[in-house]
Amino acid sequence: MWNDFRTDGDLSVRAAITTYHRDATTRHGYLARPDDDRAHPGVVLVHHMPGWDEFSFEMAERIARHGFQVFCPDLYCGFGHGQPDDVAAVARAAGGVSDESVVADAAASLAVLRALPGATGRVGVIGPCSGGRHALLVASLLENVDAVVDLWGGRVVMAPEELSAERPVAPIDYTERLTAPLLGIFGNDDKSPSPAQVDAHEAELRRLEKTYTFHRYDGAGHGFFYYHTDLYRPTAAMDAWNKVFAFLTETLRA
């Protein structure tokens, strides 16, 4: 849980940009992990639509301080390099990163985490915004995911006109293939996903008897974890963070 540590304990983490291989190409990722010799489960962090940015790195470090080895791949690596906002703009102009590419990067990231010293073999996936949608997609399409956290992922439920070559199938249509337990965190003032879309997703999960827990927050909208924006809702965000840590502990350390 948040602030649950001993002051004479070791809270140190190691974090750095590194590389990994996917489809015979070298790509970039951010690795954050506890600075100790103990065994820890892994977490793939799928970054949000604004890109592979400082918020994503800080999120990785926060999760690492709670005892997880975290790898955040640069989903936009194929669009070139520069400042995060500029690279994200290039990606948006190109129609965004494809679901197929995200799943391939996540599969490579799972392999990176399972090969690390001290890996327990159990790995979850988490993401905010588009990363929440992608995390759910990854957990549905890959067989070796042990837990998934969807932080207000939009376009899980999609109208036919929202489908595209990059996003040909709505993640909700893969629900039957989901085997990992799911935690969903949502703001009731959000428009994407709207409360009605969250209801529809929950109904499908219930119909297929999936293991899931959804938490919704009044007075919070999209991106209410984003302390660098006006979207931030500190009380809701910290309550939700505690739920995330409890869920990851229960599912990955059991």
Side-chain angles (χ1 to χ4, degrees):
M1 304 293 282
W2 171 253
N3 222 31
D4 183 14
F5 68 96
R6 289 186 56 85
T7 56
D8 61 351
D10 186 0
L11 202 65
S12 300
V13 298
R14 287 174 283 173
I17 292 175
T18 185
T19 58
Y20 66 102
H21 299 288
R22 190 204 108 182
D23 301 330
T25 64
T26 300
R27 303 170 75 86
H28 293 85
Y30 192 74
L31 177 63
R33 50 183 171 158
D35 189 13
D36 59 39
D37 296 324
R38 296 191 295 272
H40 298 285
V43 174
V44 175
L45 170 59
V46 188
H47 68 71
H48 53 179
M49 188 176 293
W52 194 61
D53 58 4
E54 191 161 352
F55 175 83
S56 301
F57 298 169
E58 291 176 357
M59 186 174 179
E61 291 160 16
R62 174 174 286 188
I63 297 171
R65 284 192 179 89
H66 285 258
F68 301 90
Q69 303 196 105
V70 185
F71 192 74
C72 179
D74 179 5
L75 304 180
Y76 296 167
C77 212
F79 295 102
H81 293 284
Q83 292 190 338
D85 289 345
D86 295 337
V87 176
V90 172
R92 285 194 303 272
V97 65
S98 71
D99 288 348
E100 180 181 14
S101 179
V102 172
V103 173
D105 278 322
S109 299
L110 289 167
V112 168
L113 287 168
R114 287 195 167 100
L116 288 175
T120 66
R122 296 187 65 79
V123 180
V125 59
I126 184 173
C129 182
S130 63
R133 176 187 181 276
H134 287 146
L136 182 65
L137 191 70
V138 166
S140 300
L141 295 179
L142 299 181
E143 296 179 353
N144 54 349
V145 175
D146 299 300
V148 55
V149 181
D150 171 9
L151 302 176
W152 60 87
R155 295 195 174 185
V156 169
V157 179
M158 301 174 70
E161 60 271 18
E162 293 180 295
L163 301 176
S164 66
E166 290 80 15
R167 289 167 287 280
V169 180
I172 192 173
D173 293 336
Y174 289 124
T175 302
E176 190 166 9
R177 298 175 60 173
L178 179 68
T179 58
L182 165 65
L183 173 67
I185 300 292
F186 308 99
N188 283 330
D189 293 344
D190 205 340
K191 300 296 190 293
S192 180
S194 67
Q197 290 171 327
V198 176
D199 288 342
H201 187 195
E202 186 169 17
E204 183 68 355
L205 289 162
R206 190 183 304 116
R207 182 183 74 83
L208 293 170
E209 300 182 337
K210 299 299 179 178
T211 301
Y212 78 96
T213 303
F214 279 4
H215 295 284
R216 312 184 193 202
Y217 293 87
D218 291 332
H222 197 79
F224 66 93
F225 278 26
Y226 295 162
Y227 42 78
H228 57 300
T229 75
D230 292 338
L231 302 170
Y232 188 41
R233 298 294 180 269
T235 302
M238 294 316 303
D239 183 79
W241 266 116
N242 277 336
K243 289 178 169 56
V244 168
F245 293 140
F247 175 78
L248 293 177
T249 296
E250 177 185 356
T251 56
L252 300 181
R253 290 205 184 112

